[in-house]
Amino acid sequence: MPSAPTHTAEEAHLLGTMPVDPMDDIELRSVQLHFPNARGSILEACDQRRVPTDKGDIHVAIQGDTSKPAIVTYHDLGLNYATSFAGFFNFPVMRGLLENFCVYHVTAPGQEEGAPALPEDYVYPTMDELAAQLLFVLSHFGLKSVIGFGVGAGANILARFAHGHPDKVGALCLINCVSTQSGWIEWGYQSFNARFLRTKGMTQGVIDYLMWHHFGRNPEERNHDLVQMYKQHFERAVNPTNLAMLINAYIHRNDLHLARTPPGTPGTETAATTLKMPVINITGSLSPHVDDTVTFNGRLDPTNSSWMKISDCALVLEEQPAKLAEAFRLFLQGEGYATPLSTPASSPCGTKYHTYSSIFFANFREQQQQAREERDREREHDRQRQLNLRIGNRLRETAINCTNNGSGAEAGDNNNADASEEEEDQENGNGNGNRAYVTTDTSGTLYYGTQSNKIRITENPLPEPVSS
C-alpha cells in the first residue's frame, strides 16, 4: 500500500492543509504547571502547643495576639488545622482579621500532620468527649468566652460544646454542620472505610469517599489542581489508623437534641432546647450536606441565626474564600466586634483596614457636615424669600408720585422682586411720552422714576425725592 504523499509548507498552504511539525507533541508533553503553595506561612506563624486533657493530649496551634478575643477552629474528617484552615486564614481579608482576634486551631487526637499511630488499647473519645476536651483548652489558655468556627465534623463538635456550655461561646460560624445521627447509608459506607483504613490503609475507595465528603460530585471539573492536592494529602500525610478511629466516633454520634420551640409553649423553655448564641450556618450549593444544613437551620432560633448557601462550590473555604471571609467579617461586625474593612489601597496586599469605631466616627462627621450644609441652604432660602416678600410689600404699599412735567406715573401691583423690571408711564395730557422705571444701586436700594427724577422707595407711605 503506497504511503501518503508529503507536502512542503507552500504546497500545504496551496492545498488547504496544515503542515505537520513533528516537534509539537514533544514540546506540549514537556510543559508542566507549578503553582506556589502559600500554606506553609500559617505553620511558621503559629505557636504549637500540647494541651493535656482527660483523654490524652491534643494539639493546639495559636495564631495571633493572645490578648485579643479568641476564635476556636475545628477541622473536618481527614484534615487537620493546616490543611483545613491554612489557605483560608492566609487570605488577605482574613490576615487583617488577625489584627483584632487570636485564633486557636484545635486538632483532634492523632490527626495532626505526621502523627504516629495511636496505641491499640487507646479508646478514642466520642463526639461528646471531643467537645468536652474544649473545656481543657479554654482553661489552659484562660479563655472565658470564644467564637467557634468549625467545618463538618468539627462544626458538630463545636455545636455540642456550645449547647452544653452556652456561657463559653459568644458566637458560632458552622460550615456543613450535621445535627442528626448518621443514616444507614452513611453508616454503611463509613464503616467499610474505617475497616479498610485499619486493615489495608488508605485505599482508593476511601479516598473517593473523602473527596465526595469534601467536594461533592465531579470536583475535577471545577478545580483540578485543588483536587489533586487533597488526594496527595490523603495518600501521604494522613495516618489511616487514627483516621479510622475518628470516622468511627463520627458515625456513632448521637443527635444534638436541638429543637426550635415557639415562645410561650407550655412545659418547654427555648434556652434549654436550642442554641442561645448567634449562629451563621453556611454551606456550598454543590456540597452533599446541603440538606443537613437545612435540617440544622430548622432547629435553630430564627431570631439569632441565619442560613447561607454560597454558589458554585462545595468546599467553601477553598473554592470561595472571598465570599466566606466577607460573610464572617460582617457576622462578627454585627455582633459588635471590631473588624477590618477592606478597601482599595496602595498597601502591599492591596487592602486598607479601619476599625469599627473609626468607621462610625467618620460616618458621624460626614452626617454632621451634611446636616450643617442643609441648614445653611434652608437659611439662605428663607432669607431670600423674606427679601422678596419685603420688596413686594414696598411696591404694593408705597404710593409713587412722579411730578415731572405734570406727568403722573402710578406703580401697579408688583408681586415679584425683579429689580430690572420696567414700567411705562400712563399716557398724559401733554403727550411727552417719558418712561418711568425701577432701578437699584450697588447697595440694593430701589429707585423709581424717570431718568431726570428718581425717587427712592422706602417703607414710608410717601417716597423721598433724591437728586439724580
Side-chain angles (χ1 to χ4, degrees), residues 306-320:
S306 57
W307 179 74
M308 180 179 180
K309 182 169 70 172
I310 300 179
S311 60
D312 301 328
C313 67
L315 189 61
V316 182
L317 285 89
E318 296 287 353
E319 297 181 88
Q320 294 289 354

Side-chain angles (χ1 to χ4, degrees), residues 50-83:
R50 301 291 299 184
V51 177
T53 69
D54 58 343
K55 297 294 181 179
D57 295 349
I58 59 174
H59 181 270
V60 179
I62 307 172
Q63 185 179 9
D65 186 357
T66 55
S67 63
K68 302 294 179 66
I71 298 176
V72 172
T73 68
Y74 217 113
H75 58 88
D76 201 357
L77 298 177
L79 304 177
N80 50 55
Y81 85 94
T83 53

Side-chain angles (χ1 to χ4, degrees), residues 88-392:
F88 179 66
F89 281 93
N90 200 42
F91 197 69
V93 176
M94 296 307 298
R95 285 204 303 267
L97 193 72
L98 296 179
E99 297 177 2
N100 299 310
F101 294 92
C102 181
V103 185
Y104 297 81
H105 301 284
V106 180
T107 304
Q111 307 304 313
E112 58 269 17
E113 195 87 14
L118 296 171
E120 295 182 0
D121 58 347
Y122 179 77
V123 179
Y124 205 85
T126 64
M127 296 296 287
D128 290 326
E129 291 171 342
L130 289 173
Q133 285 183 329
L134 295 177
L135 279 177
F136 292 89
V137 176
L138 268 64
S139 176
H140 182 82
F141 295 107
L143 305 176
K144 296 181 179 179
S145 180
V146 299
I147 300 168
F149 190 99
V151 184
N156 184 278
I157 293 173
L158 288 175
R160 291 175 185 275
F161 178 74
H163 189 219
H165 308 277
D167 58 321
K168 301 290 185 181
V169 180
L172 281 176
C173 179
L174 304 178
I175 303 172
N176 295 335
C177 182
V178 181
S179 62
T180 59
Q181 61 184 5
S182 59
W184 284 107
I185 297 178
E186 179 189 3
W187 184 87
Y189 270 105
Q190 293 283 41
S191 295
F192 277 109
N193 291 337
R195 181 182 302 176
F196 289 144
L197 287 170
R198 285 192 296 265
T199 58
K200 299 181 180 180
M202 187 65 68
T203 63
Q204 186 62 40
V206 176
I207 294 176
D208 292 341
Y209 186 87
L210 289 174
M211 294 303 298
W212 172 86
H213 177 82
H214 294 292
F215 290 94
R217 298 183 181 276
N218 303 321
E220 294 185 355
E221 296 179 0
R222 302 193 304 271
N223 196 327
H224 180 271
D225 298 320
L226 183 64
V227 169
Q228 295 302 317
M229 185 185 70
Y230 269 77
K231 284 184 177 181
Q232 292 178 6
H233 166 73
F234 293 143
E235 292 174 354
R236 303 173 183 175
V238 176
N239 189 297
T241 303
N242 298 351
L243 178 58
M245 293 183 179
L246 178 59
I247 290 177
N248 188 68
Y250 184 63
I251 62 175
H252 287 88
R253 66 184 183 273
N254 57 355
D255 195 284
L256 290 180
H257 301 295
L258 300 177
R260 178 186 295 181
T261 306
T265 303
T268 59
E269 185 179 354
T270 303
T273 56
T274 190
L275 298 177
K276 295 173 55 178
M277 67 291 302
V279 180
I280 180 171
N281 181 22
I282 301 176
T283 187
S285 60
L286 304 178
S287 172
H289 311 291
V290 174
D291 293 338
D292 294 320
T293 60
V294 173
T295 302
F296 179 52
N297 182 68
R299 295 177 160 197
L300 298 175
D301 185 358
T303 61
N304 65 358
S305 63
S306 57
W307 179 74
M308 180 179 180
K309 182 169 70 172
I310 300 179
S311 60
D312 301 328
C313 67
L315 189 61
V316 182
L317 285 89
E318 296 287 353
E319 297 181 88
Q320 294 289 354
K323 294 181 180 179
L324 178 60
E326 184 68 9
F328 187 52
R329 184 187 67 80
L330 293 175
F331 173 67
L332 295 179
Q333 182 175 315
E335 299 307 316
Y337 294 96
T339 58
L341 177 64
S342 58
T343 56
S346 58
S347 58
C349 60
T351 306
K352 182 180 180 181
Y353 299 105
H354 300 280
T355 62
Y356 181 75
S357 59
S358 66
I359 297 170
F360 172 82
F361 287 113
N363 294 337
F364 177 79
R365 287 192 294 268
E366 183 178 358
Q367 293 173 1
Q368 292 294 315
Q369 180 66 22
Q370 292 176 355
R372 283 194 296 269
E373 294 175 355
E374 183 66 24
R375 287 195 299 269
D376 293 342
R377 285 194 295 267
E378 291 177 357
R379 283 196 294 266
E380 180 64 22
H381 179 72
D382 292 340
R383 191 185 66 80
Q384 188 66 31
R385 183 169 56 85
Q386 292 174 3
L387 179 61
N388 294 341
L389 291 175
R390 195 159 52 245
I391 294 173

